[in-house]
Amino acid sequence: FEAAANQTSGFCNTIVGSCAGKNLCCGQNNVAIGQRAGTGFGNGCGNTAIGRDAMYFFGGSHSTAVGYGALRNSCACFNTAVGGYALCAVNSGQCNTALGHRAGRAQSTAVGMTAIGAFALQNGNMNGATAVGDQAGCAATVSYVTAVGACALKCLTSGAGNTALGSGVLCA
């Protein structure tokens, strides 16, 4: 129902699901699978959206979103989000990777951020930050930090350039 309803040109697009790719007008090489997936494709190119509301309000190109609401509100390019609500608020940030439920959820302008694990780096705009582990850096709001381990750097709010290795390290 209404899949690719507004497409007027473009080529090599694959659209499956109710309202999937609904606003795709002239983009190319896009894939949208799931209810309302890729609704915001517009004239974007090279995007993949799999899951309900993945890339729902989306205006970028060359990005991948897999999971409910992944890259939901994005206008950026070169982002990869796998997991429910992963990178769902990235606006102008680019070259970010998030893997896990709500990983990188509130990163709106971050560049070069990597979040792996449920809730990893879910707050702030953290350029060049890397977090691996459940809740690693989940409340942190500074850039250029590295957190490896569950809850590592969980509460860091100042001091760029910190590195935490181990479960709960630098966690208040």
Side-chain angles (χ1 to χ4, degrees):
F1 175 73
E2 293 190 333
N6 296 316
Q7 186 169 0
T8 57
S9 63
F11 56 90
C12 297
N13 295 301
T14 303
I15 311 296
V16 179
S18 175
C19 296
K22 183 177 180 180
N23 295 321
L24 176 64
C25 64
C26 52
Q28 58 193 21
N29 301 313
N30 294 296
V31 175
I33 300 172
Q35 184 179 22
R36 296 189 308 233
T39 297
F41 277 170
N43 61 356
C45 299
N47 295 303
T48 302
I50 300 173
R52 182 177 177 180
D53 293 341
M55 294 185 175
Y56 183 70
F57 296 112
F58 185 78
S61 291
H62 307 291
S63 293
T64 301
V66 178
Y68 181 85
L71 280 173
R72 179 180 164 87
N73 300 311
S74 179
C75 298
C77 299
F78 311 112
N79 290 299
T80 301
V82 178
Y85 295 106
L87 287 177
C88 69
V90 71
N91 188 349
S92 60
Q94 61 184 9
C95 302
N96 297 301
T97 302
L99 172 62
H101 181 70
R102 295 188 183 224
R105 181 184 59 86
Q107 302 291 332
S108 64
T109 60
V111 175
M113 181 273 312
T114 302
I116 300 173
F119 306 102
L121 296 178
Q122 74 167 349
N123 291 327
N125 289 304
M126 304 169 65
N127 294 326
T130 301
V132 179
D134 178 50
Q135 298 183 47
C138 72
T141 57
V142 296
S143 295
Y144 308 106
V145 296
T146 302
V148 179
C151 299
L153 286 180
K154 183 177 178 181
C155 304
L156 184 69
T157 57
S158 64
N162 285 293
T163 300
L165 302 174
S167 180
V169 175
L170 292 176
C171 181

